[in-house]
Structure formats: C-alpha cells, structure tokens
Amino acid sequence: MGKIESNPKAILDLDRTVHEPARLAILTVLASAEEVAFLFLQRVTGLSKGNLSSHTQKLEAAGYLATVKAFQGRIPVTSFRITEDGRVALHAYHQQLRALLPKEGKP
Amino acid sequence: MTTPDLDALSATTREYAAFQSRKSGLATALGGLMAIVLVLAALSPNYMGAHVLDRLAIEYLVWVPMLWLGLKWALGRVLYRGLGTVKAAPDSAYERRRWYWILGLALFLLAMSLAALYAFALGFLQPNPSRAAICPPPMWLLLMPLLYLLPMPWLIRGIEEARVFAVLVGQCILWLVPLFLFSFGPSNPANHEWTVTGHLAMTAYLVLIFLIQIWGALAMIRGWKEHRQYLALLRSLPREA
C-alpha cells in the first residue's frame, strides 16, 4: 500500500465523473472508435436506455462527450463521440489508478 | 452493471467497427465464389448459347465486379449494422495501404489497356488497315477499365475488399483483352498454327486460372470465418437490460 500510505488523499483525487463504472465503460467504448451509435453503446455496456441516457448527460455536462443527432431516412439516430477533454480525463484516470495500485510482485 | 472488463469492451468496439470499415465477412466469401463461377462460366461451352470465351458470354461476365460491389454494399447494410453505426478510429497506415491497392490496380488496368491497344495496332491494324473500317473491335471495352476504377475510392473500404475486387477485375481483363483483339482477327483461327509464344501464353493462362480457383476457395473460407467471428461478437454482448 506504499502509494496510499505515503499519500492517502491521492485516492480522493480520482475524477469521480470517470470513476463511476458505467461512465468508465462508456468512455472506454467511445475512446475505441470515432463515433458510436446509442444502440451499440447500450448493448455493449449492458445498461438500460434510461441509465445510459442519464450517464451520457453527465458526461456531456462535464464536456467529456459530444452527442451527434442525425436522421437515417425518417428515423432519428443518436451517436456519441468522445471529446479531447474526455480522452485526456480517461488517460489521466488510468495513470492515477496505475500509480495507486501496488507494483507487480510487491504486496 | 457488473464491473466492466475494459480491455474486452475496447476490443469488442474495435471489432464491431472493423466490420463497418474494413472487414467484409460474407462479401469476401461471395467474392471468392464469384471468382470461381466467373472462370467456370467463361470457360464452359454453350453458356447461354455461347461457346468458350464467346463474345456474348463475356459481355455479361465483365459486369460481375460491379455486381459484387453492389452485393457487398447490400450485405454490409443488412448483416453488419444490426446495432447501429460505429465509425472506426482513423488509421493512417491502413488507409495508405488501401490507396496502394487502388494505385496498383489503376496501373494494372492502364498497362493492360495500353498492351491491348499496342497489340491491336501492331497485330491487326498495321497488316490489314482496310478491315478496321469494315469490322472494328468493340470500342466500349476500352471504357471498362475506367468503369472498374471509378468506384474504388468510395466503395472499396479495406485491403481484403481491394484484393477480391482486384481478382474479379483481373479476371475480366483476362477475358476482355482477347475479346477486344480477336473480334477483329481472322474468322477461322483454327487455320493458324500455334507458336511457342502462343503455347506459353496458354499455359500461363491455365496456371492463372488454377491459382484463381485456389484463391477463390480460400477467400470463401476466410469470409465465412469472419462472419462467424461477427456472430460470436454479437453473442458475447450482455443481454439487453
């Protein structure tokens, strides 16, 4: 527990917007592609429509994702893109988490 | 939701996006099948009342690459977009390789067109110019290479698709060149003796046809495997909440 012992407040510095599992999953999926349809995001994360909408709204409010609304024929289609801020936040979160975890081979 | 396996989520997204950007699945298998059928149809006697490498048969067969492009597009829409559109992250190295294929095919088509024109001028036009006025070769055939080339930047999305298209187009060019040349030639080629070059050309033709058959069979297997991968990907997704 070297890192946390030396800086116990470090774990509190984690970005709470990203730290929530559903939002972490959403950002991970969005970071793996340029643009992702709502339906795919829902199926791959296993979230309900309502849950997904609520989490994407929070991420959008934080400036981590952008919503793209378009029409395919007459059907409205919603897609999402990760923003540059979102990419930076996700990367920083990974770095912070790695720093907090014990090094391999050490208890 | 359960704690997400982030690597698996990322891999699934990339794989699904790949089927909308570079993988063709069943379209590759269809391309392999069409390559085999194209050879068999062109070589089978009495195909639609035509004989081996007959003009009528070839005039239909030269449209096969365009048919494949249409079917590929339709299959992609119907089979690989069930969960909506996912645009893959841009990959400049892959894009560069795709353009190399397009450029390669363009150079091949240009070389074959020039070779056909050169052979026509040297073998037929020069020795017998009066015949050119009476019985000109089908000039529309010279437009086919351009027709093959035009849709490539938009409709060929991946290396595998470029490979399938190149094989189909290559085959059509193999049929088109003799059609262009021999439609103008003597009406009874049986009277002409076979030269060593002729024998060599025919052997190369047969080897090429044999290789296309093998490639077609492998493409069918590869395409079917890709399709199964896609089905496995769909099965691996969590059930709808």
Side-chain angles (χ1 to χ4, degrees), chain B residues 43-115:
Chain B
L43 292 181
S44 71
N46 299 319
Y47 167 75
M48 294 176 73
H51 298 288
V52 177
L53 285 178
D54 186 85
R55 184 170 174 166
L56 177 67
I58 293 168
E59 281 182 9
Y60 283 109
L61 294 177
V62 292
W63 295 99
V64 164
M66 309 315 241
L67 177 69
W68 178 77
L69 282 181
L71 290 172
K72 175 188 81 72
W73 179 83
L75 279 175
R77 302 280 306 178
V78 172
L79 292 177
Y80 303 121
R81 274 174 201 257
L83 300 177
T85 306
V86 175
K87 285 185 192 164
D91 180 346
S92 55
Y94 189 85
E95 190 62 11
R96 206 176 307 122
R97 280 175 58 207
R98 186 178 79 92
W99 276 101
Y100 283 152
W101 270 93
I102 294 175
L103 186 68
L105 194 59
L107 289 175
F108 166 74
L109 290 171
L110 182 71
M112 289 304 279
S113 302
L114 289 178

Side-chain angles (χ1 to χ4, degrees), chain B residues 38 64 91 107 127 135 155 181 209 218 227:
Chain B
L38 196 58
V64 164
D91 180 346
L107 289 175
C135 176
L155 292 179
L181 293 178
I209 284 167
L218 290 175
H227 182 65

Side-chain angles (χ1 to χ4, degrees), chain A residues 21-22 24-25 28-29 31-37 39-40 42-48 72 79 81 94, chain B residues 1 4 6 9-10 12-14 16-17 82-90 233-234 237-241:
Chain A
L24 179 60
T28 303
V29 170
S32 310
E34 195 183 327
E35 198 174 300
V36 178
L39 183 60
F40 178 78
Q42 190 198 342
R43 283 298 308 276
V44 80
T45 55
L47 293 165
S48 67
Q72 271 180 4
S79 303
R81 279 169 183 264
H94 282 167
Chain B
M1 66 178 284
L6 300 180
L9 274 180
S10 188
T12 305
T13 308
R14 281 179 215 278
Y16 182 79
L83 300 177
T85 306
V86 175
K87 285 185 192 164
L233 182 148
L234 288 188
L237 294 178
R239 284 175 179 275
E240 256 178 287

Side-chain angles (χ1 to χ4, degrees), chain A residues 9-25 27 55 58-65 82-98 100, chain B residues 6:
Chain A
K9 281 191 176 177
I11 201 163
L12 300 176
D13 290 340
L14 284 172
D15 186 341
R16 301 276 174 120
T17 313
V18 182
H19 187 59
E20 206 283 330
R23 290 198 283 270
L24 179 60
L27 282 180
H55 285 301
K58 279 176 189 161
L59 286 167
E60 194 170 19
Y64 292 168
L65 71 77
I82 192 167
T83 61
E84 201 45 50
D85 285 351
R87 229 174 258 281
V88 170
L90 185 65
H91 183 69
Y93 175 79
H94 282 167
Q95 298 286 91
Q96 279 176 301
L97 211 59
R98 254 185 228 118
L100 284 169
Chain B
L6 300 180

Side-chain angles (χ1 to χ4, degrees), chain B residues 145-167:
Chain B
L146 195 64
L147 268 179
Y148 290 140
L149 199 60
L150 275 179
M152 276 198 83
W154 294 277
L155 292 179
I156 300 294
R157 304 163 311 160
I159 308 291
E160 193 59 50
E161 289 184 357
R163 213 171 279 155
V164 173
F165 193 64
V167 170

